[in-house]
Amino acid sequence: MRQQESSVVRALLLFRDMSEQNFTALMSTAFLQRFPAHVSLIAEGDSPDFLHIVVDGSVELFAQHDGRETTLDIIRPVATFILAAVIRDEVYLKSARTLSPSQILMVPAQIVRDVFDRDAVFARAIVNEMAERYRDIVRAYKNEKLRTSTARLANWILREDIRQGQTHMVSLTIDKRTLASRLGMTPENLSRNLGQLMSHGVRVAGRDIVIEDMAALNNFAKPNALIDG
């Protein structure tokens, strides 16, 4: 791994304050790998061999049961995923695949657990990260239970506009099937909901969603920091 990439990983809250010796021990066993889009990285039910860190690209976390599949989360740089399974040495509860060409840093799970046992600062950072992931799950659960599918889409547009630089034009960087699944709806419902949002200041232009009336969209969406973060 190049120094620039190591510095990006070092800046993560998970690794930022741990000892240099222990960080070096982690990185000396890690390797950075490039994957094309739509490559399976892990499968639910398998035991964790590595802690995965998305350095570039995007990764979809999903689950399957009885012929059905749902998107649980989309991970973008720079972030870890499936940390709890690695620390507890338990099977994955989710599967993961690349959505776009990606660079993934893979740190052997056993060395992560070894450093966790001897580096209190690293252990505290792991607890903090897993606590934040738990809060993300609570927010997602509230979003699904307390909002209609159209309201969930409206708030996703508002959040994505912020993530993409507040240009009032959101570019779809994932396919509509994946977005619909992430928001808990079918692709057909996604199309209908986009149509309904036209009366609330939204216009669809190809793969872009244009916010023409921010006040109208906010008034309909009613964003809530206790749900949206």
Side-chain angles (χ1 to χ4, degrees):
M1 185 169 55
R2 292 174 296 187
Q3 180 59 42
Q4 180 182 3
E5 293 156 343
S6 178
S7 298
V8 169
V9 174
R10 182 61 153 151
L12 287 173
L13 289 176
L14 187 62
F15 304 107
R16 188 180 62 190
D17 297 322
M18 68 186 301
S19 76
E20 187 63 35
Q21 179 182 359
N22 286 327
F23 179 73
T24 299
L26 285 175
M27 292 303 104
S28 66
T29 62
F31 59 95
L32 191 64
Q33 190 163 344
R34 292 183 180 272
F35 295 93
H38 312 302
V39 169
S40 176
L41 300 173
I42 62 172
E44 56 187 313
D46 288 352
S47 297
D49 294 321
F50 297 95
L51 173 65
H52 293 75
I53 302 170
V54 183
V55 177
D56 188 36
S58 57
V59 170
E60 176 189 11
L61 302 183
F62 65 98
Q64 298 169 317
H65 173 69
D66 196 24
R68 301 179 64 186
E69 179 177 302
T70 187
T71 301
L72 300 171
D73 204 356
I74 295 171
I75 308 298
R76 295 185 173 92
V78 174
T80 66
F81 61 91
I82 320 292
L83 178 59
V86 169
I87 294 301
R88 292 180 58 86
D89 195 15
E90 294 185 350
V91 299
Y92 297 124
L93 297 180
K94 314 170 192 176
S95 299
R97 62 189 167 214
T98 55
L99 278 176
S100 60
S102 302
Q103 273 189 310
I104 310 293
L105 179 67
M106 303 168 69
V107 186
Q110 186 58 57
I111 188 64
V112 174
R113 290 192 289 269
D114 291 344
V115 174
F116 176 86
D117 288 339
R118 66 174 182 258
D119 191 314
V121 174
F122 180 54
R124 191 179 306 114
I126 284 177
V127 171
N128 284 334
E129 178 152 336
M130 290 199 294
E132 182 55 36
R133 296 295 172 85
Y134 167 76
R135 291 173 66 84
D136 287 343
I137 291 170
V138 172
R139 284 191 284 262
Y141 192 62
K142 290 170 67 176
N143 186 43
E144 183 170 345
K145 291 293 185 179
L146 296 174
R147 285 172 170 157
T148 66
S149 60
T150 311
R152 292 198 298 274
L153 176 59
N155 279 279
W156 178 85
I157 292 171
L158 290 173
R159 292 193 304 273
E160 193 66 10
D161 179 52
I162 292 172
R163 193 184 73 83
Q164 294 190 18
Q166 294 182 292
T167 63
H168 295 189
M169 186 172 72
V170 172
S171 296
L172 289 179
T173 57
I174 57 177
D175 63 84
K176 290 184 178 180
R177 181 203 62 81
T178 302
L179 175 59
S181 181
R182 179 69 184 92
L183 295 176
M185 62 185 79
T186 65
E188 294 76 18
N189 283 338
L190 176 65
S191 296
R192 282 195 293 268
N193 288 334
L194 282 169
Q196 291 176 20
L197 289 178
M198 290 179 65
S199 61
H200 300 286
V202 169
R203 176 172 58 85
V204 178
R207 291 189 59 81
D208 295 328
I209 300 173
V210 182
I211 305 173
E212 296 185 321
D213 189 335
M214 181 63 75
L217 183 59
N218 269 289
N219 186 57
F220 172 78
K222 297 180 177 61
N224 182 337
L226 298 180
I227 299 177
D228 304 302

